[in-house]
């Protein structure tokens, strides 16, 4: 699997992201041709080779044509207008869909901060042009380069204040923090903006996981250059592109836990249904002996980081808990896919789990249960027939 790792030791912004992709092999002419299909004008793109702390990289810049805006005036764009711009571009449906999902996440957090519905949030002209180029360009670049999976390092956040259209606001910007819920971050110790809202939106919208670099065979490396000089580090974003070890993947999950000693058994069953229905990856009930020698249950829920708030909300609604522990954990998962095998009872959907030099078929309970009931045969007979295929293979 072709994987890219974003090493964000100096933060993340949209222009640094595109700069790193261009430095790693994306064609600048191809990127310009893609962006020129979007129906808006008044800008120029520039590529420049620069160094930071004696490390060279690619700086990507968007220059706005002030004469164009004086003649045509500045226009703020809402989600509908941005959707129309992206929809008219010569882009694949996947690029359009992912790009709009990122803009929608930006609009949601900005709307919450300013107490507005997302569809009433307006992106200022300058910011909208930059953001459209950065977001569409990055999504397009990942597709063109064939990158199937993006992993992002923990993000270093700055401090201080930054000037915006709304005046001076604290760093990290409120939108940046809102977008990074569920994402591992750290204090950079630098009094400057290290992660922009666009950078945060790209990371959370495109990353499969956050954490250390996965095992891979490195093929390409790119450095995207930031606009400023930082006091204690080179202002660069490094992207490492390669192939992960076949059959193994690593990602980041959030683990939620709470101990209960006053829940009705049927309530626990309903809780599991709601959590799994909301997208939890796993729900486990463990017996626990709690204080005052009361028997209880430990509820453990595993989900993707962006699901944390929703899963915690369900746990609070449906249990008697007074608090929930949460932590982020790395996990290794084997590659798997679904396939259909012919059996004495017709086609059966099974799961093929792929290991380094072999694979095995695993029965799917719901599918086997339906066949057992339909044919009035023991469930174990279907399981044994599927597992016997592994011996033949």
């Amino acid at each position: 699997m072709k994987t890219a790792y974003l090493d964000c030791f100096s933060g993340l912004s949209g222009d640094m992201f595109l700069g790193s992709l261009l430095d790693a092999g994306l064609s600048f002419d191809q990127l310009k041709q893609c962006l020129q299909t979007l129906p808006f004008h008044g800008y120029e793109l520039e590529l420049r080779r620069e160094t930071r702390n004696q490390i060279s990289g690619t700086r990507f810049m968007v220059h706005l044509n002030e004469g164009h805006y004086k003649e045509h005036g500045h226009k703020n764009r809402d989600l509908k207008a941005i959707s129309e711009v992206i929809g008219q571009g010569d882009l694949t449906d996947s690029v359009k869909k992912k790009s709009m999902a990122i803009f929608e996440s930006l609009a949601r957090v900005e709307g919450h901060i300013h107490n507005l519905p997302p569809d009433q949030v307006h992106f200022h002209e300058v910011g909208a042009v930059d953001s459209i180029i950065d977001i569409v360009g990055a999504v397009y670049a990942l597709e063109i380069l064939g990158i199937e999976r993006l992993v992002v390092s923990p993000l270093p956040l700055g401090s201080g204040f930054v000037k915006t259209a709304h005046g001076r606001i604290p760093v990290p910007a409120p939108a940046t923090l809102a977008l990074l819920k569920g994402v591992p971050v750290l204090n950079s110790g630098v009094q400057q903006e290290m992660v922009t809202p666009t950078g945060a939106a790209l990371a959370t919208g495109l990353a499969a996981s956050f954490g250390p670099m996965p095992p891979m065979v490195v093929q390409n490396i790119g450095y995207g250059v930031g606009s400023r000089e930082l006091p204690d580090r080179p202002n660069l974003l490094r992207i490492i592109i390669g192939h992960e070890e076949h059959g193994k993947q690593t990602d980041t999950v959030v683990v939620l836990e709470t101990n209960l000693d006053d829940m009705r058994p049927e309530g626990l069953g309903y809780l599991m249904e709601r959590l799994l229905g909301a997208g939890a990856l796993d729900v486990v009930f463990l017996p626990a002996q709690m204080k005052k020698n009361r028997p209880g249950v430990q509820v453990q829920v595993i989900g993707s980081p962006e699901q944390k708030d929703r899963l915690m909300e369900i746990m609070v609604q449906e249990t008697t808990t007074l608090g929930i522990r949460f932590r982020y954990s790395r996990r290794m998962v084997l590659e798997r896919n679904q396939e259909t095998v012919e059996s004495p009872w017709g086609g059966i959907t099974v799961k093929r789990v792929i290991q380094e030099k072999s694979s095995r078929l695993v029965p799917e309970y719901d599918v086997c249960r339906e066949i057992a009931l339909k044919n009035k045969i023991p469930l174990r007979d279907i399981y044994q027939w599927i597992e016997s295929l592994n011996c033949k293979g």
Side-chain angles (χ1 to χ4, degrees), residues 155 157 175-185 195 199-201 203-204 210 328:
L155 294 170
L157 301 182
T176 297
L177 275 181
L179 286 162
L180 294 180
K181 284 183 179 178
V183 172
V185 299
V195 179
T204 54
F210 293 83
Y328 297 99

Side-chain angles (χ1 to χ4, degrees), residues 20 97 123 125 135 176 203 206 240 272 279 292 310 338 351-352 392:
S20 70
K97 184 176 179 181
F123 295 86
E125 179 71 32
I135 290 170
T176 297
L206 298 175
I240 302 167
M272 179 179 286
K292 299 182 181 178
R310 179 60 182 144
Q338 284 191 332
K351 188 183 300 177
R352 181 174 292 278
K392 296 175 184 177

